[in-house]
Amino acid sequence: MSDIAKNIAEIKEKIAFSEKKAGRKAGSVKLMAVSKFHPAESVIDAINAGQNLFGENRVQEASAKFEQLRSQGFNPELHIIGSLQRNKVKEAVRIASCIESVDRIELMQEIEKQCARYSEESGAEKKIEILFEIHTGEDSKSGFESNDLLLDAVSRCASGEFPHLVVKGLMTMAPNTTDESLIRASFRTLKKLQGELSSQYPSLSFDELSMGMSNDYPIAIEEGSTIVRVGTAIFGERDYSK
């Protein structure tokens, strides 16, 4: 068994423990392996260990890596999780099933435009799942800048303005701190917002809460996360020189 496989097995055990501790149904939390800065060979090790959901935040790197994987017969699910520039949307739409970092109307308009274009060119309807990224932590973190802007975006989705965007939920990053109370406050903010939006916009799905990373995912699970994004604890430290 590879180190990556051992790490995945250990993390899945911890997820199961956290689910049970929180009184949640077994299997209610999905593990996303964040593979940015790691080679395709490491992703293959993870796939062979039963992992199928991956997250990347650099579209160009992800495109090359996952094209290589798919050419070798692998078909993992890919989410884009980092800040996304409009000029990278076309490729993101082509390679991913979900964009978790939707944080402004202009980005939504570009995603809609590229999905419509892809659908027309391919002859097959292209829709993409999205999560609204919410600012709940540090000032340096991205996300909708205000609740008013978020509500405008959600209401425009509910009105049918973006037919190729499938709303699935919310995403956030907790503050980079060892203060557990601040981390929990961040996650509780997202959970509270989930309830409010679900009530206000019943035509949309807010079932997914993507929150929790290598250092705080057990806390996130206790606070209601459905997707935890784990990179370092699976793949080890990244080589940023590549």
Side-chain angles (χ1 to χ4, degrees):
M1 182 182 290
S2 70
D3 288 342
I4 288 172
K6 290 177 183 175
N7 292 341
I8 288 173
E10 290 176 3
I11 291 164
K12 287 185 174 180
E13 285 184 8
K14 290 178 181 178
I15 289 173
F17 176 82
S18 296
E19 287 173 334
K20 186 175 182 180
K21 180 180 177 181
R24 297 181 58 184
K25 182 180 177 182
S28 59
V29 180
K30 294 185 282 288
L31 171 62
M32 174 191 294
V34 178
S35 49
K36 61 182 180 180
F37 298 111
H38 295 286
E41 291 74 19
S42 294
V43 177
I44 291 172
D45 279 349
I47 292 171
N48 289 335
Q51 180 64 28
N52 190 61
L53 175 60
F54 295 86
E56 295 267 344
N57 72 342
R58 301 200 307 176
V59 173
Q60 187 173 355
E61 176 194 339
S63 178
K65 186 186 305 180
F66 281 79
E67 283 297 310
Q68 177 184 339
L69 291 165
R70 287 161 182 163
S71 72
Q72 294 176 250
F74 299 101
N75 191 32
E77 182 179 357
L78 174 62
H79 288 196
I80 300 300
I81 59 174
S83 180
L84 183 60
Q85 298 174 336
R86 289 176 65 185
N87 64 352
K88 300 293 176 59
V89 168
K90 180 179 179 180
E91 188 64 7
V93 163
R94 190 181 74 82
I95 64 174
S97 63
C98 179
I99 296 174
E100 293 200 5
S101 47
V102 172
D103 60 0
R104 59 197 187 279
I105 289 288
E106 294 79 12
L107 180 59
M108 295 165 65
Q109 291 169 333
E110 187 65 24
I111 296 171
E112 174 62 31
K113 172 184 172 183
Q114 295 301 336
C115 281
R117 178 177 293 175
Y118 187 98
S119 298
E120 184 177 350
E121 292 176 352
S122 68
E125 189 74 0
K126 174 65 177 184
K127 294 190 176 184
I128 193 157
E129 296 178 353
I130 66 166
L131 303 184
F132 294 109
E133 184 172 2
I134 310 302
H135 180 97
T136 64
E138 300 171 19
D139 291 339
S140 62
K141 302 301 183 186
S142 56
F144 274 92
E145 295 180 356
S146 72
N147 279 344
D148 286 344
L149 290 173
L150 170 64
L151 290 174
D152 179 43
V154 175
S155 65
R156 288 164 76 165
C157 284
S159 72
E161 184 174 335
F162 303 105
H164 293 88
L165 276 58
V166 182
V167 176
K168 299 298 288 185
L170 308 172
M171 185 265 263
T172 197
M173 295 180 69
N176 184 19
T177 177
T178 57
D179 187 335
E180 185 175 315
S181 64
L182 293 178
I183 295 170
R184 287 191 184 275
S186 173
F187 295 150
R188 287 172 181 173
T189 295
L190 202 70
K191 180 66 176 177
K192 181 173 182 288
L193 186 59
Q194 178 193 42
E196 293 170 352
L197 292 174
S198 296
S199 176
Q200 193 169 349
Y201 298 95
S203 65
L204 301 177
S205 170
F206 291 94
D207 290 345
E208 300 287 11
L209 288 183
S210 178
M211 57 188 197
M213 300 170 67
S214 289
N215 60 335
D216 58 20
Y217 71 86
I219 299 172
I221 292 170
E222 291 176 18
E223 298 298 341
S225 177
T226 65
I227 302 172
V228 293
R229 309 182 302 271
V230 181
T232 303
I234 291 175
F235 297 107
E237 294 296 331
R238 305 180 183 105
D239 183 354
Y240 293 98
S241 65
K242 293 182 180 180

